[in-house]
Amino acid sequence: MEFQLNDDQRALRTGTRQLLAALFPRERLRAMVDAGGPGGAGGPGGAGRPGGAAVDGASVRELWRELGAAGFFSLRLPEERGGTGLGLPETVLVFEEAGRVLLPGPLVATHLAAGLVEGAAEGRALVTALDRPGPVEHLASADAVLLLDRATLRILRTDPGPDPDPDGDACTAVLPRALRARSVRAVDPTTPLHLVSQLPDDAGAVPGELPDAVRLRREAALLTAALQLGSALRTVEMTVAHVKARSQFGRPVGSFQAVQHLCARMFVRAEIARCSVYAASLTVTFGDVSRAKLLADTAAVRNARDCLQLHGGFGFTWDADVHPHLKRAWVRAAQWQSAAEAEEGLAEELLNEFPAGLSTGPGEVVANVEISSE
Amino acid sequence: MDLTFTKEEEEFRRRLRTWLRETLPKLPAKPPPDQWPARRAYDCAWQRALYDAGYAGLHWPTDAGGQGATPTQHLIFLEETELAGAPYVGANFVGLLHAGPTIAVEGTAEQRARWLPPILRGEEVWCQGFSEPDAGSDLASLRTRAVRDSDAYIVTGSKIWTSHAEVADWCELLVRTDASAPRHRGISWLAMPMDAPGVTVRPLRTLAGSTEFAELFLDEVRIPLSHRVGAENDGWRVTMVTLSYERGTAFVGEVVACRRTLARLARTAKENGRWDDAVLRRRLGRLNAEFGALWRLTQWNVSAAERTSPGGGSAVPGVGGSVFKLRYSEARQELYEAAAEVIGPEALDAGHPWTADRLSALSYTIAAGTSQIQQNIIAERILGLPKGR
């Protein structure tokens, strides 16, 4: 057991951090935040485009092409299919870095769609996803939607034309007619949202050679947790930098014990989430993934709240980067697995697996679930 | 990153499991918690059994009489012994986890030969004379003074909250040897025999009703210079070695124990109908997440120790232990609060086994450095915030 990053993983993390610093510097995030803010197209005085916030298809598409060229979506595709052939642990490290810089767009869905939806691996197709009625991001500009309805995977397309995907799809349908969705002005200025009230029925779904939806949902929850983890670690850094620099009563506020203790708690929260996310990337068991999502959601939301508190009045302004972290953390916490679902599932696990489940062997085999068909 | 075990580690686990299965049924019943002499005998007998089977001082270096096991093997040992319901280290806690490792790292050849074997064989029990009435978390303000008199120190002062003092043979004692030096620099680490003239032990009753700790009064106790571990006035650094052990590995078995208790709690709730309460159910689910995460954090810390000290044995855990200790001590209290919810009015029965655990868990955010001190350590030493006042 060597539960530490190896040299390749450290190098990957450093490389990703450098890449994202160049590709998505703070100014680019701010431009998107400001476009979605007061006076921006998505703000109260703005044009109120469908889909809510002002991050339009064009800006995300441009980003997608750049990320695709950098291999972001094809990380886990085998090399003979144009990918890098990396595993989930490495992917988690890359997503953690994406979470640090608040990279916008349906990152998790497009990554999962690589190899399933033509163009996703290269960043030419923008793919979003949903697994139940509720919020779905970037729906208006998406080319396809992964619909992970319990054990069923379906792919809804905006363009029902001939299917060029050599692997075959289970089902295609035309968007947005297939989904009953209502656009809302999203609280996160960089994440346009629709609220879906009802999933389309699966009439017309045909069986195909697709990975099972249970596995994909677990991976989606894990990668979302990795994004939350990155955000939680970043808000600790932002806070520590601020309380070292900001002086009150003639001393840096970071020397006040009340401030120190909040910072320490932020750090502990993030560290506990980090170990959970990394462990889940190795085992991909239901329990580990649920723990990772629950604790990473908590860390991202609570740390952003404490970051805001410790920035004082500065933190409550639009110009500070605190609110994009908090608002994005709220969105992600509502995706894939809510706190209630995770807690209920983990309570059930106590009855089922212990004490046998205490032992930390290799990950359980995820049951193969049949793709539903007519 | 890897959470799988090597063939050697799996083999180690298998052998240990077999031995535990054969040995544990032969153990006598554990004496009640307030009968300390009987408890001491029980704990020492268990230590002797471990010694005879080659599991004593597993994580100690071989040149100190230990087994030189890797941190991962030590982790497996703690996990398996707890899963099997083996006795807790008990009265041997200070010797095996504090004083022993400190002497192994800082002691002379004679000191190691004198003190380490009896600890490993379960023949001598140690206690810890660190805290004083005016020096708890602010340990460096301790006032017990030691004055040189030819080949000995004459020690006068008092210590408090000394666990197992009644049944201990030796005390790892912190004394002030230079009152004029800056407060961290005038401290020395001494091994004091508990039967030395001038040592008085007065048991203190805990809020749980037990007498597991005591006050020590030291009236001109004569301690030979040869009983000092480390240089004179260098005791603070020696102590930091000890404390980092306490915060690094001391609670590993207890995380496993808490996970077992939590599973038992869930089954109890299922049986008595409390499971139908969604609020309580979700609390138990969140505790499952917390203890699972603490176990992963433990594995992370152990792997980090293994990386910095590939030969195993002498790895000294770092300040990362504060991260674990802060959250673990709170989660353990939350666990017994949830237990009280599950069992309802019976939680008010002092005879209920979970009531004793609920009460003893109250000490966890205080002992071995309060939660507030742990937060100061994290803020100043890990996050680099300016020192507070």
Side-chain angles (χ1 to χ4, degrees):
Chain A
M1 184 188 75
E2 198 184 349
F3 190 30
Q4 294 282 302
L5 300 195
N6 62 36
D7 291 343
D8 289 346
Q9 288 165 339
R10 285 168 195 273
L12 175 69
R13 184 167 66 179
T14 309
T16 307
R17 191 169 296 186
Q18 286 163 350
L19 171 79
L20 290 178
L23 198 65
F24 197 72
R26 177 174 185 271
E27 301 75 49
R28 198 166 174 187
L29 169 70
R30 287 310 312 193
M32 287 186 170
V33 170
D34 292 342
R49 279 181 345 94
V55 174
D56 55 17
S59 63
V60 175
R61 270 179 196 288
E62 190 190 336
L63 181 62
W64 245 229
R65 278 191 297 275
E66 292 163 345
L67 290 172
F72 196 92
F73 302 116
S74 57
L75 282 171
R76 285 193 295 150
L77 282 187
E79 287 180 31
E80 61 270 21
R81 293 181 63 191
T84 325
L86 292 174
L88 260 184
E90 288 75 24
T91 308
V92 152
L93 294 175
V94 170
F95 272 67
E96 178 186 322
E97 293 303 316
R100 289 174 66 91
V101 297
L102 283 182
L103 204 58
L107 294 161
V108 171
T110 305
H111 170 85
L112 292 179
L116 297 174
V117 173
E118 208 235 335
E122 301 81 23
R124 281 186 289 107
L126 190 69
V127 183
T128 188
L130 77 161
D131 67 339
R132 62 197 152 158
V136 56
E137 60 177 307
H138 298 271
L139 182 63
S141 47
D143 299 302
V145 180
L146 298 184
L147 188 58
L148 301 164
D149 186 6
R150 284 180 291 277
T152 316
L153 166 65
R154 282 179 286 159
I155 297 170
L156 311 180
R157 290 180 179 286
T158 48
D159 175 5
D163 178 18
D165 181 5
D167 293 326
D169 284 348
C171 172
T172 60
V174 184
L175 274 176
R177 271 188 295 135
L179 285 173
R180 287 195 188 181
R182 167 173 79 85
S183 79
V184 292
R185 196 162 62 77
V187 63
D188 173 14
T190 54
T191 308
L193 284 182
H194 278 73
L195 295 184
V196 172
S197 56
Q198 193 187 327
L199 299 186
D201 65 37
D202 57 1
V206 290
E209 294 297 315
L210 289 171
D212 74 75
V214 171
R215 172 102 200 172
L216 281 182
R217 281 164 72 189
R218 253 185 222 186
E219 291 181 357
L222 172 64
L223 294 175
T224 305
L227 292 168
Q228 296 282 55
L229 168 64
S231 174
L233 289 165
R234 179 70 193 126
T235 49
V236 177
E237 289 175 3
M238 287 162 59
T239 307
V240 167
H242 177 76
V243 302
K244 277 182 182 170
R246 169 78 169 160
S247 274
Q248 295 277 271
F249 308 102
R251 299 160 59 190
V253 298
S255 68
F256 295 117
Q257 202 168 54
V259 171
Q260 292 193 342
H261 287 190
L262 266 185
C263 291
R265 294 202 163 264
M266 293 173 72
F267 179 76
V268 170
R269 235 180 253 134
E271 283 297 293
I272 283 174
R274 196 169 58 80
C275 291
S276 306
V277 170
Y278 292 176
S281 78
L282 294 167
T283 69
V284 207
T285 59
F286 164 81
D288 276 333
V289 171
S290 295
R291 276 184 274 275
K293 179 65 167 47
L294 181 65
L295 296 172
D297 283 345
T298 304
V301 171
R302 283 297 329 173
N303 279 14
R305 294 275 302 274
D306 288 347
C307 179
L308 167 58
Q309 178 67 26
L310 289 172
H311 274 73
F314 297 110
F316 199 66
T317 66
W318 188 269
D319 293 340
D321 288 347
V322 183
H323 69 101
H325 277 282
L326 176 57
K327 291 166 178 174
R328 191 79 68 81
W330 280 343
V331 171
R332 289 175 184 148
Q335 292 172 328
W336 299 112
Q337 196 177 42
S338 68
E341 288 168 314
E343 286 167 355
E344 287 283 9
L346 288 169
E348 203 63 39
E349 187 199 52
L350 288 173
L351 297 174
N352 297 337
E353 288 190 20
F354 285 71
L358 277 176
S359 210
T360 49
E364 75 185 40
V365 178
V366 179
N368 280 317
V369 182
E370 281 182 34
I371 306 293
S372 86
S373 60
E374 275 299 289
Chain B
M1 286 191 289
D2 188 5
L3 281 171
T4 58
F5 295 97
T6 64
K7 247 166 111 177
E8 290 74 28
E9 287 162 349
E10 289 295 5
E11 172 61 19
F12 173 79
R13 187 191 291 275
R14 199 191 54 74
R15 257 190 300 121
L16 175 60
R17 238 178 229 188
T18 307
W19 180 76
L20 287 167
R21 218 180 0 249
E22 289 163 1
T23 310
L24 293 180
K26 296 180 219 150
L27 282 183
K30 195 162 187 163
D34 52 349
Q35 292 178 19
W36 269 107
R39 272 264 170 150
R40 177 200 150 116
Y42 181 89
D43 294 341
C44 288
W46 169 242
Q47 180 59 31
R48 179 72 205 197
L50 288 172
Y51 179 84
D52 289 341
Y55 292 114
L58 203 62
H59 63 305
W60 287 23
T62 45
D63 63 4
Q67 306 295 322
T70 64
T72 299
Q73 283 175 324
H74 189 216
L75 190 76
I76 292 170
F77 173 80
L78 293 167
E79 185 183 13
E80 288 297 327
T81 43
E82 178 51 43
L83 282 174
Y88 180 64
V89 60
N92 293 310
F93 183 90
V94 172
L96 283 165
L97 290 153
H98 297 205
T102 304
I103 294 165
V105 174
E106 299 288 335
T108 64
E110 292 81 32
Q111 289 173 334
R112 287 152 64 116
R114 166 62 190 87
W115 287 314
L116 298 183
I119 292 174
L120 291 174
R121 290 194 298 257
E123 290 162 3
E124 289 184 347
V125 168
W126 284 65
C127 63
Q128 187 184 68
F130 283 11
S131 297
E132 296 181 9
D134 290 325
S137 290
D138 183 14
L139 188 56
S141 70
L142 64 90
R143 289 202 292 232
T144 293
R145 67 174 193 281
V147 182
R148 264 195 197 232
D149 176 33
S150 66
D151 63 343
Y153 291 108
I154 308 297
V155 178
T156 302
S158 70
K159 296 287 174 179
I160 197 168
W161 309 306
T162 304
S163 298
H164 320 314
E166 275 181 282
V167 294
D169 305 290
W170 291 92
C171 178
E172 49 168 353
L173 191 71
L174 286 186
V175 295
R176 189 160 296 285
T177 34
D178 183 355
S180 61
R183 52 195 218 123
H184 290 87
R185 304 243 173 87
I187 294 171
S188 298
W189 196 106
L190 305 180
M192 178 180 77
M194 290 296 286
D195 59 359
V199 178
T200 308
V201 178
R202 187 175 74 89
L204 289 169
R205 190 165 287 279
T206 71
L207 60 73
S210 59
T211 56
E212 68 191 42
F213 62 18
E215 227 171 337
L216 294 186
F217 298 98
L218 310 173
D219 182 18
E220 300 196 344
V221 180
R222 195 174 176 86
I223 302 175
L225 294 186
S226 60
H227 283 26
R228 188 190 67 231
V229 173
E232 187 171 84
N233 299 327
D234 193 31
W236 184 259
R237 191 189 55 77
V238 175
T239 302
M240 287 304 116
V241 172
T242 310
L243 289 184
S244 61
Y245 269 100
E246 185 173 35
R247 286 166 194 164
T249 54
F251 302 100
V252 169
E254 292 180 66
V255 184
V256 181
C258 283
R259 300 189 75 192
R260 270 182 5 141
T261 302
L262 184 60
R264 212 158 52 226
L265 204 58
R267 286 195 292 271
T268 304
K270 189 82 180 170
E271 283 157 22
N272 74 6
R274 293 290 286 131
W275 190 255
D276 297 337
D277 179 345
V279 175
L280 183 59
R281 218 165 49 224
R282 285 186 59 180
R283 260 173 87 180
L284 298 180
R286 180 155 297 251
L287 282 168
N288 179 354
E290 296 279 357
F291 283 110
L294 285 165
W295 180 243
R296 296 309 190 189
L297 179 59
T298 302
Q299 291 176 316
W300 182 268
N301 288 342
V302 165
S303 290
E306 193 148 290
R307 175 169 283 190
T308 52
S309 171
S314 63
V316 177
V319 287
S322 289
V323 175
F324 175 85
K325 203 262 182 185
L326 181 67
R327 190 59 202 122
Y328 169 71
S329 56
E330 294 170 342
R332 189 178 166 111
Q333 290 172 0
E334 290 162 19
L335 172 67
Y336 287 105
E337 291 311 304
E341 282 271 312
V342 169
I343 61 178
E346 279 192 55
L348 298 176
D349 174 1
H352 195 286
W354 281 344
T355 306
D357 290 334
R358 185 188 189 192
L359 290 168
S360 77
L362 295 173
S363 74
Y364 276 67
T365 47
I366 299 170
T370 65
S371 292
Q372 286 64 38
I373 290 295
Q374 305 298 342
Q375 289 174 103
N376 290 352
I377 290 170
I378 293 165
E380 289 170 9
R381 289 201 231 155
I382 299 179
L383 299 178
L385 293 182
K387 221 167 163 43
R389 273 201 301 238

